[in-house]
Amino acid sequence: MPASVWRRIRARLRPLRARATAASSRATDLVKRVAGRVAKRVASARGGLRILVRPRGADERDVRSLMLRHAFSRSTLLGDQPRVSLTSYGWRLDTVHLAIESIGRGSARPRTLTLWLEAPPTGRIRRRLRRLERRGLRVRLTEGYGPHTKYYPEIRLPGGTESPLVTADDDMVYPPDWLRQLDSAARDEPELIHCHRAHRVLATDDAIAPYTEWTPVADRTPRLGNLATGVSGVIYPPRVLRALAARGTDFRDASPTADDIWIHATAVEEGIATRQLSRSARLFPAVPGTQVYGLYAHNVVGGANDAQVAASYSAAAVAQLAAESEAERDA
């Protein structure tokens, strides 16, 4: 066969080879991602079996009690306390039922308990959530808002800004008294945000200090500069909820992965202070296996929080925070 014919054949085969190589690379990446997810779920299942059979320490014994409660309890998750809203995603859906069980076993239970999801659950997760739905959980599908999904679709409901809202995280084991304490504080001082854990936002006349320089709150004094961290639970008054609803989805540009920062910036704009319930912050135990990944690496280690702070706080808000800090120093 003439050399010119071979050259034409090779020229025609070249793009086919390139497409085959690209397809092979995509298939390899897909296999790796699936294998990684399977490995996480297998590790989670093994860890759960070990905790069920041989728990180590009080925290794991508590988790075992939640596993058994989920398997056998038919008691309601609901009561007469403020509504609670949370969200979950990805592999955390494997353990979100334990966080929900911890809320439902409280000495005070929420009037409504809603889990907001971006996609319908499937398989074992769907069965677990259906079991919880029969006991009062509401599972609702919504457009994805990242971590803001824990509160934003809730306040968009009819009447969603007319009563206090408690937010919770999907990876924590909440003690029986956490919701009762939040509700009691909100009844005594309904104009404030109340939380179990807060950080002090440090500001000068023209800028907010880097996130890593903020300090844990160590008193019960209400301040504009106290930022409630949602991990241990927060109760928000209607005035904050209305302000958040009015700002809409601007957080997608300003603070897409830091809902605490966005909510605090909104509260400062409204002149609403935050109070930590006790002199020392409470950080509750995490559901085992949920702390390997998360937003911490992106927001804190990666420096994303500082960029989101700069985009979320107006000059007027910065000035208010700086004035408050200066007044405390002069007192």
Side-chain angles (χ1 to χ4, degrees):
M1 187 178 294
S4 59
V5 175
W6 279 113
R7 283 196 296 271
R8 288 197 297 272
I9 292 174
R10 284 196 296 270
R12 292 183 179 181
L13 288 176
R14 195 173 296 119
L16 296 178
R17 287 173 182 165
R19 287 198 290 270
T21 300
S24 176
S25 177
R26 288 195 297 271
T28 300
D29 290 343
L30 177 60
V31 169
K32 287 181 179 179
R33 289 198 300 270
V34 171
R37 291 172 184 170
V38 170
K40 289 177 187 176
R41 293 196 174 186
V42 169
S44 177
R46 287 176 178 171
L49 181 60
R50 182 192 62 75
I51 291 172
L52 194 59
V53 175
R54 190 176 297 174
R56 301 170 185 169
D59 289 346
E60 289 195 355
R61 287 195 294 272
D62 193 26
V63 171
R64 179 176 65 176
S65 73
L66 294 174
M67 291 177 174
L68 296 173
R69 178 184 177 89
H70 182 72
F72 299 109
S73 178
R74 296 183 178 179
S75 61
T76 181
L77 301 170
L78 306 181
D80 59 358
Q81 299 297 300
R83 57 194 168 130
V84 174
S85 178
L86 71 161
T87 187
S88 191
Y89 64 96
W91 57 272
R92 287 194 179 199
L93 284 165
D94 283 333
T95 56
V96 67
H97 64 289
L98 298 175
I100 293 169
E101 286 288 358
S102 73
I103 295 171
R105 59 93 185 262
S107 58
R109 297 186 301 278
R111 185 174 300 107
T112 63
L113 176 56
T114 308
L115 174 66
W116 293 95
L117 301 177
E118 297 179 21
T122 58
R124 177 179 56 188
I125 295 169
R126 182 182 182 185
R127 292 192 295 273
R128 286 173 175 169
L129 295 182
R130 279 188 170 179
R131 187 178 303 154
L132 292 169
E133 282 184 297
R134 289 194 290 270
R135 295 165 54 201
L137 176 70
R138 297 192 307 183
V139 178
R140 296 288 184 268
L141 298 182
T142 181
E143 180 181 352
Y145 302 104
H148 299 266
T149 309
K150 74 166 66 170
Y151 74 89
Y152 189 67
E154 182 77 19
I155 66 176
R156 294 182 65 203
L157 294 173
T161 62
E162 300 307 313
S163 63
L165 173 65
V166 177
T167 60
D169 275 11
D170 64 343
D171 57 351
M172 305 305 292
V173 177
Y174 291 97
D177 64 344
W178 79 286
L179 183 57
R180 183 180 297 280
Q181 290 183 351
L182 288 171
D183 177 61
S184 177
R187 289 177 183 275
D188 290 342
E189 297 176 287
E191 73 283 0
L192 300 179
I193 296 171
H194 298 275
C195 62
H196 286 288
R197 183 173 181 266
H199 278 81
R200 183 72 186 275
V201 179
L202 304 178
T204 61
D205 289 337
D206 57 357
I208 292 178
Y211 181 85
T212 53
E213 296 180 13
W214 299 1
T215 57
V217 172
D219 57 40
R220 302 179 66 250
T221 303
R223 295 186 187 89
L224 288 179
N226 289 350
L227 179 147
T229 59
V231 64
S232 294
V234 185
I235 187 166
Y236 298 103
R239 185 178 165 199
V240 173
L241 304 180
R242 288 191 287 269
L244 288 167
R247 298 187 78 179
T249 58
D250 288 352
F251 56 76
R252 283 178 159 159
D253 294 324
S255 190
T257 63
D259 54 311
D260 293 343
I261 287 173
W262 179 255
I263 295 173
H264 181 250
T266 302
V268 174
E269 291 281 353
E270 295 294 314
I272 300 171
T274 298
R275 185 170 73 84
Q276 184 172 277
L277 297 190
S278 58
R279 292 186 179 276
S280 58
R282 295 182 71 184
L283 182 60
F284 305 131
V287 175
T290 60
Q291 299 299 293
V292 179
Y293 303 95
L295 291 174
Y296 180 86
H298 174 73
N299 285 345
V300 181
V301 179
N305 270 349
D306 290 330
Q308 295 178 97
V309 165
S312 298
Y313 293 86
S314 67
V318 173
Q320 288 187 77
L321 294 173
E324 183 182 70
S325 297
E326 184 178 353
E328 285 203 356
R329 287 193 299 268
D330 294 341

